[in-house]
Amino acid sequence: MPDIVIASGKGGTGKTTVSTNLAALLAERDPVVLVDLDVEEPNSGLFIKGAAETAKVVRNKMIPEWKPDACTLCGICQKVCNFHAIIKLGKEIMVFPELCHACFACSELCPVDALPMKPVRMGETTSSELGSLTFIESRLDIGQEQAVPLIAQTKADVARDHGDTRYRIYDAPPGTSCPVIEATKDADVVILVTEPTPFGLNDLILAVETMRELGKPMAVVINRSGIGNDEVEDHCRAEGIHVLAKLPNDRRAAELYSRGERIYTELPAFKAELEKIAAFVQSVPEGNPERSPEGKPEGKPEGKPA
């Protein structure tokens, strides 16, 4: 079953709007898993009302713990750490958990086993059920620096527990940094949500470049269509990237969003465009289709099966 990631080059474009409304629409017909991977500030749950919580899992990451009685101060741990999370300072080894990427190099290469790895809490994951919609949300604890380990653990659980679900939709973090890479690297297709403004175009270009580096099939959704200009559409046409839908700029949509309500049930124009996204999602096979992003005929979705 395909993994559909909804992403964006910047925050505030409507990524969560598309994710939650699309998941709810598809769940009217088939089982759907909606996963909020924006673990630093998850908000998809604001729009999934009435879901009964079924599970809560504490998430840990592995951090080295220095054992001074065993340590010979050889300094190997400092040399092998690419993230400067361990420093030899005089007769002490200082560990900086915020910098540690849990690569296990220091622990595995320590000749006297003076740096055993220990679990340290970093956040939690909750699961909820609402009819045929399963909603999963992970949230970093306050003060935690790294989102990637929590995103990776969440994705692994979804693959293990919901591998047979008809649709798996992931609401990714915004931007093009490491959390986005982790959220999208296993996607069957990435839907990039943008807005028709200079800021939207600039960040869409960055997001497209990132997805191409990862070899991800992609398509674009333009939210708040009509507020800016045609530069986003012109860019997508020039790059051979299909624009799936243009969600209308409607004050009522903002009002519904502010109340945490679904937009497609109230605005027929919005639902008509959302149905186009749903039709595209229904055509996506599991596994990344072979593609050549450059030189596709105009109007053919990048990554859409022929």
Side-chain angles (χ1 to χ4, degrees):
M1 300 300 159
D3 287 315
I4 313 297
V5 177
I6 314 295
S8 64
K10 63 184 287 290
T13 60
K15 176 174 54 62
T16 296
T17 298
V18 172
S19 299
T20 53
N21 281 269
L22 178 62
L25 177 64
L26 291 171
E28 293 177 357
R29 309 158 189 173
D30 294 289
V32 176
V33 177
L34 172 61
V35 187
D36 195 337
L37 293 180
D38 187 4
V39 300
E40 294 174 273
E41 194 63 40
N43 62 354
S44 294
L46 298 175
F47 306 92
I48 310 297
K49 296 182 178 179
E53 186 174 300
T54 57
K56 179 175 287 188
V57 180
V58 172
R59 298 297 189 185
N60 297 308
K61 61 180 179 180
M62 303 302 290
I63 302 294
E65 182 180 32
W66 181 50
K67 299 295 185 182
D69 293 341
C71 183
T72 61
L73 299 172
C74 66
I76 291 177
C77 53
Q78 177 177 273
K79 293 178 182 178
V80 301
C81 182
N82 289 328
F83 306 102
H84 307 292
I86 294 186
I87 294 178
K88 177 186 174 186
L89 194 61
K91 295 184 178 182
E92 290 191 23
I93 300 296
M94 299 185 67
V95 178
F96 299 93
E98 296 82 5
L99 299 178
C100 180
H101 284 58
C103 70
F104 281 72
C106 62
S107 182
E108 293 293 332
L109 296 176
C110 177
V112 292
D113 298 323
L115 286 165
M117 303 295 282
K118 67 171 184 177
V120 175
R121 178 186 163 109
M122 64 175 168
E124 63 182 25
T125 300
T126 56
S127 299
S128 306
E129 302 286 343
L130 181 62
S132 8
L133 176 61
T134 299
F135 174 59
I136 298 172
E137 174 188 273
S138 287
R139 184 183 296 269
L140 274 178
D141 287 344
I142 294 174
Q144 288 295 321
E145 299 284 339
Q146 296 179 37
V148 170
L150 182 52
I151 293 173
Q153 289 186 30
T154 305
K155 288 172 55 186
D157 279 1
V158 173
R160 182 190 67 230
D161 299 334
H162 302 280
D164 294 331
T165 303
R166 179 67 180 89
Y167 301 107
R168 296 188 295 272
I169 298 174
Y170 299 83
D171 185 358
T176 56
S177 59
C178 293
V180 178
I181 303 300
E182 181 61 40
T184 57
K185 69 179 185 180
D186 300 313
D188 293 306
V189 69
V190 178
I191 297 175
L192 298 173
V193 183
T194 189
E195 57 189 17
T197 65
F199 290 112
L201 175 59
N202 178 76
D203 293 318
L204 175 64
I205 291 172
L206 297 176
V208 167
E209 290 175 351
T210 302
M211 293 305 110
R212 281 183 171 161
E213 285 293 321
L214 294 174
K216 297 290 108 179
M218 72 188 100
V220 167
V221 169
I222 299 176
N223 189 31
R224 293 190 284 272
S225 178
I227 66 171
N229 52 43
D230 297 329
E231 291 183 357
V232 168
E233 288 187 77
D234 292 343
H235 177 75
C236 290
R237 188 178 301 111
E239 293 293 317
I241 303 172
H242 183 52
V243 176
L244 291 179
K246 295 188 286 185
L247 303 175
N249 180 40
D250 192 320
R251 179 183 176 87
R252 291 172 296 170
E255 292 172 350
L256 290 164
Y257 181 91
S258 69
R259 295 195 294 266
E261 299 176 12
R262 294 169 190 166
I263 299 172
Y264 77 91
T265 59
E266 303 295 330
L267 300 184
F270 184 97
K271 183 177 181 180
E273 294 298 305
L274 194 68
E275 289 281 9
K276 296 178 183 178
I277 307 172
F280 173 76
V281 167
Q282 290 166 339
S283 72
V284 176
E286 184 177 14
N288 297 332
E290 292 185 1
R291 67 184 179 94
S292 176
E294 311 300 336
K296 280 190 171 290
E298 181 178 335
K300 184 174 181 182
E302 183 167 321
K304 183 176 180 179

